Amino acid sequence: MMAKCPVCETEYTPNEVETCSVCGYDLTPYPPTDEIPSGFWEKEKKRIAAAKRVWRLSQSQVESAQLIVSHLQSQLDETTRKIEGFTQSQSQLESQIEAIASSQLRSLPRLESQIEAIASSQLRSLPRLESQIEAIASSQLQSQSQIEAIASSQLQSQSQIEAIASQLQSITEAVQETPIVSSSSGFDYTKLNRLLKSGNWKAADQETAKMMLAVAGKTQGGYLYKDDIKNFPCEDLRIIDGLWVKHSNGHFGFSIQKQIYINCGGKPDGSHPGNTIWYRFLDEVGWRVNNRWLSWSELTFSLREAPVGHLPAISRHLEAVRVHRGLYRGYLWLLFIISLFDNCNL
């Protein structure tokens, strides 16, 4: 028996797919009713309603872009028809020029006879002949001007075609790359997307810390601890990490830091195997230089100069005091996030 996605209403076979093929919504079946805590269904309804709003907004943007593309395609077709008309006119004009040239060649012997007659009659008709020659020359100049005008018109039409093609390309890219920067839980990452897209890495790191605290319910500030990260929504983590990776071309992001940590000998579940591996990771991402931990203000907020995985550093967290075994409290959040990636299968 088929079911429908609660967000985009796409049909699917229950228990055979985990994610909607159209909108990407999580279709994992709910657990038995007696295992669902009280209040879950109200939260689930709100989450689905928020996802529907995001889906409808994205579909509206796509439809608007498609209308613009259709309009520009009509303009392109009209311009193409004009060019074809100009081409036909040019062909006709060339035929006329060839006919004139052929006529002139046929009349050349007669003209020579006339010239000889004029010469023999002491050039009495010379002024009239000069007028004829000037008329022919003027006619040729006019024909040349027409040819140049047609050529200029064709160049203008070509420029219009290129401009339309450029607009079509820009619209197509905008439609394909328009990110959904709102999570189903209602958090909007538009500002973070804008800061990352503009390359303002320092402000983006501060915005990331602000958003993560908000998602974790720390509206009055504070730090992220293990329980906060453990309950952090996978969807919001995926959006935040995706924006960092996308706009840095794979240079920054939590998933990048996780891979570096594993390459240094760490475990995918974020467990701490010892200070040696941890220090190796800190040196690799540039958070420790010459055996000295850097404060957040000493970090490098440059895509060209910063090591791979240098950001995000979650601003305020790197300013915390030293704690057990010489580690900084600010660095512990990354171990928790790595374990969350493992829990979320990211």
Side-chain angles (χ1 to χ4, degrees), residues 87-259:
T87 302
Q88 293 176 356
S89 298
Q90 184 181 13
S91 178
Q92 292 174 356
L93 181 59
E94 290 175 347
S95 298
Q96 292 175 355
I97 292 173
E98 291 176 357
I100 292 173
S102 177
S103 176
Q104 290 175 342
L105 289 174
R106 288 195 301 267
S107 63
L108 182 58
R110 184 175 59 184
L111 182 59
E112 290 175 346
S113 298
Q114 291 175 351
I115 292 173
E116 290 176 357
I118 291 171
S120 63
S121 62
Q122 298 177 352
L123 304 178
R124 286 177 297 183
S125 301
L126 181 59
R128 185 177 60 186
L129 181 60
E130 289 178 345
S131 297
Q132 292 177 346
I133 294 174
E134 290 176 356
I136 293 173
S138 176
S139 176
Q140 291 177 332
L141 288 175
Q142 290 177 357
S143 298
Q144 183 64 30
S145 298
Q146 290 177 346
I147 293 173
E148 293 175 353
I150 292 174
S152 176
S153 177
Q154 289 179 330
L155 288 176
Q156 292 177 355
S157 298
Q158 184 64 30
S159 298
Q160 291 177 349
I161 292 174
E162 292 175 353
I164 292 173
S166 177
Q167 291 176 349
L168 287 172
Q169 180 66 21
S170 299
I171 292 173
T172 301
E173 293 175 354
V175 171
Q176 294 176 345
E177 297 182 6
T178 298
I180 298 177
V181 290
S182 296
S183 67
S184 59
S185 54
F187 290 95
D188 187 357
Y189 298 93
T190 301
K191 181 178 180 180
L192 177 60
N193 181 65
R194 185 179 69 253
L195 292 171
L196 290 169
K197 186 175 182 179
S198 64
N200 191 344
W201 309 109
K202 187 173 185 178
D205 192 57
Q206 294 172 318
E207 179 66 11
T208 300
K210 174 183 174 182
M211 292 302 300
M212 292 190 71
L213 288 171
V215 173
K218 300 296 184 70
T219 56
Q220 302 300 322
Y223 300 100
L224 298 180
Y225 295 95
K226 187 172 184 178
D227 289 340
D228 299 323
I229 295 297
K230 181 179 180 181
N231 298 318
F232 201 91
C234 294
E235 180 186 10
D236 291 81
L237 179 64
R238 185 186 298 109
I239 292 175
I240 294 173
D241 179 62
L243 291 175
W244 274 94
V245 173
K246 172 185 176 182
H247 292 300
S248 68
N249 292 321
H251 199 83
F252 299 144
F254 294 135
S255 57
I256 305 301
Q257 294 171 344
K258 174 189 174 183
Q259 189 57 52

Side-chain angles (χ1 to χ4, degrees), residues 12-13 21 65 70 78-79 84 138 145 177 203 212 250 268 285 322 336:
Y12 72 97
T13 304
S21 61
S70 177
E78 180 63 23
T79 302
E84 292 174 353
S138 176
S145 298
E177 297 182 6
M212 292 190 71
V285 299
R322 291 176 71 90
F336 302 156

Side-chain angles (χ1 to χ4, degrees), residues 69-85:
V69 170
S70 177
H71 178 67
L72 291 176
Q73 184 62 47
S74 298
Q75 292 182 341
L76 178 60
D77 293 341
E78 180 63 23
T79 302
T80 302
R81 286 194 294 271
K82 289 182 179 180
I83 291 175
E84 292 174 353

Side-chain angles (χ1 to χ4, degrees), residues 304-340:
R304 179 180 300 178
E305 299 175 3
V308 175
H310 194 63
L311 298 174
I314 312 300
S315 59
R316 295 176 58 192
H317 292 66
L318 291 182
E319 302 292 353
V321 298
R322 291 176 71 90
V323 293
H324 182 57
R325 293 185 179 178
L327 295 176
Y328 280 102
R329 183 188 303 275
Y331 293 139
L332 294 178
W333 66 268
L334 181 60
L335 294 179
F336 302 156
I337 291 180
I338 289 175
S339 65
L340 177 61

